[in-house]
C-alpha cells in the first residue's frame, strides 16, 4: 500500500513539475527553459533534498517511462497524414538523413579523437543522435558503455533542441522540411517534439528522420568504429 | 467519454509496440520494437486495415506529452556524479558541438536539396505544358 502511494507521489511530482515548467517555458518563450531540462533539474534537486535514490523514484517513474513505446508507435500518425508529401520527397529525405547521420557520427568520433576522450567513452557517444533504445543496442554492439550512451543521447536531445532556433537563424534554414530533418536526425525524439513548434510538416519530417536515422546508424556505427578506432 | 477513448487507443498503440518487440526478439534485430511497431502501424494505416479514427486521439494525446515521457529517464543522470569531472565536461562539450554541427550542416543540406528538386519539377512541368501549347 505504502509503495503504491509512494509511486503515485513520484508520478505526480514528475507531471506537476513538467506542467509547471511548461507554463514557464510558454510564458517567457526562452529556449534554455526547455521543460525537459528544467523539470529534470527541479526533480533531481527535490530527490537529493529528500534523499530519495533514483531507483526508488523509478518505482513511479517507470510508469511514465513505459508510455515511451506506444508514443514512438504513435509517430506513425503524423507520418500517415503527410504520406503524400513523403512519397513526393522520398529522395530528398533519404539523402538528407543519410548525410546527417554520417555527419553526426563522424563529427563526434573525430572530436573524441582530437580531444583524446577515453576509448570506451568515445564509443559510447557515437550513437548520441539516435533514439535511446536503438542507441543502447548500438553501444552494446560496438563495445561502449550503455549508461553513458543514454547520457549522451539526452544531452544531444536537450541541447540540440535548445540551440536549434539560434542555429537555424544563423544558417538561414527556414524551410520546415530542412528544420524537421535537422532536428529529427540530430536530436531524435526530443528534437522531433521541438520541430512540432515549426508546424505539422516539420514534425512529421522530424519523426521520419528519427526513424530512418535509427535504422541507418545501426549499420553505420560499426563501420565508423572499424575505420577510426582500430 | 473522450478520456476513455484516449485510454483505449493508447492500448492499441501498446499492442503495436508489443508486436514490434516480439518481432525484434524473434529475428534478433538491432532495431527496437517500438520503431518496428511504428512501421507496422504506418503500413496498416496506409492499407486501411486500421482506420485512422481508431488511433487519432490516443496518438495525438501521447505526442502532445512526448517530452514529459522522457523526464524519468533524464533524471537518471543523477546517478552519474562522475560527469562533474574533466572527462564529463569533455563528453558534454563534444556531444553539444557535434550536435550543433549536425543541425547546421544537415539543415542547410536538406533545405538546398528540397529547393533544387522543386525547381527541377517546376521546370519539367513547364516543359510539358509549354510543348502541349505549341
Amino acid at each position: 500500500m505504502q509503495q503504491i502511494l509512494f509511486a503515485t507521489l513520484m508520478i505526480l511530482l514528475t507531471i506537476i513539475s513538467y506542467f509547471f515548467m511548461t507554463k514557464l517555458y510558454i510564458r517567457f518563450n526562452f529556449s534554455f527553459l526547455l521543460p525537459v531540462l528544467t523539470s529534470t533539474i527541479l526533480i533531481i534537486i527535490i530527490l537529493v533534498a529528500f534523499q530519495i535514490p533514483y531507483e526508488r523514484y523509478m518505482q513511479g517513474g517507470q510508469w511514465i517511462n513505459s508510455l515511451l513505446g506506444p508514443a514512438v508507435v504513435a509517430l506513425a500518425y503524423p507520418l500517415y497524414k503527410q504520406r503524400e508529401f513523403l512519397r513526393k520527397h522520398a529522395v530528398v529525405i533519404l539523402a538528407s538523413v543519410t548525410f546527417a547521420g554520417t555527419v553526426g557520427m563522424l563529427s563526434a568520433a573525430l572530436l573524441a579523437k582530437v580531444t583524446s576522450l577515453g576509448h570506451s567513452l568515445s564509443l559510447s557517444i557515437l550513437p548520441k543522435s539516435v533514439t535511446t533504445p536503438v542507441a543502447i543496442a548500438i553501444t552494446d554492439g560496438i563495445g561502449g558503455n550503455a549508461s553513458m550512451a543514454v547520457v549522451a543521447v539526452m544531452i544531444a536531445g536537450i541541447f540540440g533542441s535548445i540551440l536549434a532556433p539560434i542555429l537555424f537563424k544563423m544558417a538561414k534554414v527556414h524551410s520546415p522540411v530542412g528544420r524537421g530533418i535537422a532536428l529529427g536526425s540530430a536530436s531524435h525524439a526530443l528534437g522531433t517534439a521541438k520541430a512540432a513548434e515549426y508546424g505539422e510538416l516539420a514534425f512529421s519530417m522530424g519523426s521520419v528522420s528519427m526513424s530512418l536515422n535509427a535504422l541507418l546508424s545501426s549499420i553505420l556505427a560499426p563501420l565508423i568504429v572499424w575505420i577510426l578506432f582500430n | 467519454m473522450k478520456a476513455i477513448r484516449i485510454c483505449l487507443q493508447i492500448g492499441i498503440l501498446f499492442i503495436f509496440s508489443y508486436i514490434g518487440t516480439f518481432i525484434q526478439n524473434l529475428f534478433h534485430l538491432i532495431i527496437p520494437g517500438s520503431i518496428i511497431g511504428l512501421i507496422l502501424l504506418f503500413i496498416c494505416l496506409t492499407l486501411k486495415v486500421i482506420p485512422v479514427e481508431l488511433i487519432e486521439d490516443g496518438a495525438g494525446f501521447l505526442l502532445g506529452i512526448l517530452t514529459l515521457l522522457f523526464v524519468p529517464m533524464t533524471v537518471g543522470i543523477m546517478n552519474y556524479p562522475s560527469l562533474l569531472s574533466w572527462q564529463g565536461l569533455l563528453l558534454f562539450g563534444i556531444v553539444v558541438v557535434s550536435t550543433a554541427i549536425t543541425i547546421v550542416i544537415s539543415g542547410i543540406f536538406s533545405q538546398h536539396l528540397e529547393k533544387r528538386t522543386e525547381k527541377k519539377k517546376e521546370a519539367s512541368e513547364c516543359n510539358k505544358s509549354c510543348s502541349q501549347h505549341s
Side-chain angles (χ1 to χ4, degrees):
Chain A
M1 187 60 212
Q2 212 173 9
Q3 244 176 10
I4 298 173
L5 209 71
F6 183 78
T8 315
L9 203 67
M10 291 300 108
I11 294 174
L12 283 177
L13 168 70
T14 312
I15 295 176
I16 292 170
S17 325
Y18 179 79
F19 277 100
F20 179 70
M21 289 307 178
T22 306
K23 277 239 158 70
L24 213 68
Y25 177 63
I26 294 169
R27 170 94 185 267
F28 292 100
N29 195 19
F30 181 52
S31 179
F32 266 93
L33 287 177
L34 198 76
V36 206
L37 178 65
T38 48
S39 45
T40 298
I41 294 172
L42 180 67
I43 292 169
I44 291 182
I45 290 173
I46 291 172
L47 292 182
V48 170
F50 287 92
Q51 295 184 323
I52 302 167
Y54 178 64
E55 287 66 30
R56 285 207 66 202
Y57 163 75
M58 276 311 268
Q59 288 173 3
Q62 62 173 335
W63 293 100
I64 298 175
N65 205 29
S66 70
L67 283 173
L68 266 176
V72 171
V73 173
L75 286 167
Y77 173 56
L79 289 188
Y80 173 74
K81 282 210 283 185
Q82 298 284 346
R83 63 193 179 286
E84 273 307 303
F85 188 91
L86 289 178
R87 206 169 43 82
K88 264 189 215 153
H89 294 259
V91 180
V92 174
I93 296 167
L94 204 65
S96 304
V97 176
T98 311
F99 181 71
T102 315
V103 169
M105 282 211 192
L106 265 185
S107 59
L110 291 175
L111 282 168
K113 273 226 134 162
V114 170
T115 54
S116 54
L117 188 77
H119 184 74
S120 162
L121 275 185
S122 304
L123 295 181
S124 312
I125 63 164
L126 263 195
K128 67 172 191 331
S129 293
V130 183
T131 185
T132 324
V134 192
I136 293 173
I138 292 178
T139 322
D140 281 340
I142 58 181
N145 175 330
S147 3
M148 281 301 124
V150 174
V151 170
V153 169
M154 289 306 151
I155 296 173
I158 291 173
F159 287 88
S161 308
I162 286 178
L163 295 173
I166 312 162
L167 295 172
F168 287 148
K169 213 179 246 175
M170 267 170 37
K172 299 199 177 61
V173 177
H174 301 299
S175 87
V177 176
R179 289 182 168 189
I181 290 178
L183 275 167
S185 46
S187 300
H188 47 91
L190 287 175
T192 303
K194 175 76 185 176
E197 291 179 21
Y198 302 122
E200 196 182 297
L201 182 58
F203 185 48
S204 50
M205 282 300 127
S207 41
V208 148
S209 311
M210 179 194 100
S211 323
L212 260 183
N213 193 31
L215 297 176
L216 286 169
S217 298
S218 47
I219 305 165
L220 213 60
L223 247 150
I224 287 181
V225 172
W226 185 64
I227 295 170
L228 284 173
F229 292 98
N230 262 342
Chain B
M1 193 53 220
K2 186 158 183 191
I4 298 171
R5 193 163 64 230
I6 289 176
C7 284
L8 287 175
Q9 297 196 349
I10 292 176
I12 297 175
L13 297 171
F14 252 119
I15 294 172
F16 271 90
S17 180
Y18 281 130
I19 296 175
T21 312
F22 177 75
I23 294 177
Q24 182 203 1
N25 292 334
L26 194 67
F27 297 103
H28 303 287
L29 303 170
I30 194 173
I31 312 153
S34 53
I35 300 263
I36 299 174
L38 187 167
I39 298 168
L40 282 180
L41 178 60
F42 181 74
I43 294 171
C44 286
L45 288 172
T46 317
L47 297 177
K48 313 263 181 228
V49 178
I50 285 182
V52 70
E53 292 78 21
L54 208 61
I55 52 111
E56 210 168 19
D57 291 327
F61 174 77
L62 278 185
L63 294 178
I65 56 162
L66 186 58
T67 51
L68 162 68
L69 306 181
F70 278 93
V71 171
M73 202 153 44
T74 50
V75 172
I77 289 182
M78 72 185 274
N79 269 354
Y80 300 98
S82 62
L83 283 171
L84 295 171
S85 63
W86 169 242
Q87 285 270 304
L89 211 66
L90 198 60
L91 179 139
F92 176 82
I94 292 172
V95 171
V96 171
V97 170
S98 161
T99 307
I101 292 174
T102 313
I103 290 180
V104 169
I105 297 187
S106 65
I108 294 175
F109 182 82
S110 49
Q111 181 172 263
H112 176 77
L113 212 59
E114 181 202 4
K115 283 198 178 135
R116 219 184 57 176
T117 46
E118 253 169 34
K119 264 185 201 154
K120 254 191 201 161
K121 256 179 210 157
E122 271 168 31
S124 67
E125 268 162 28
C126 175
N127 278 344
K128 266 183 224 156
S129 56
C130 293
S131 54
Q132 274 168 4
H133 283 297
S134 58

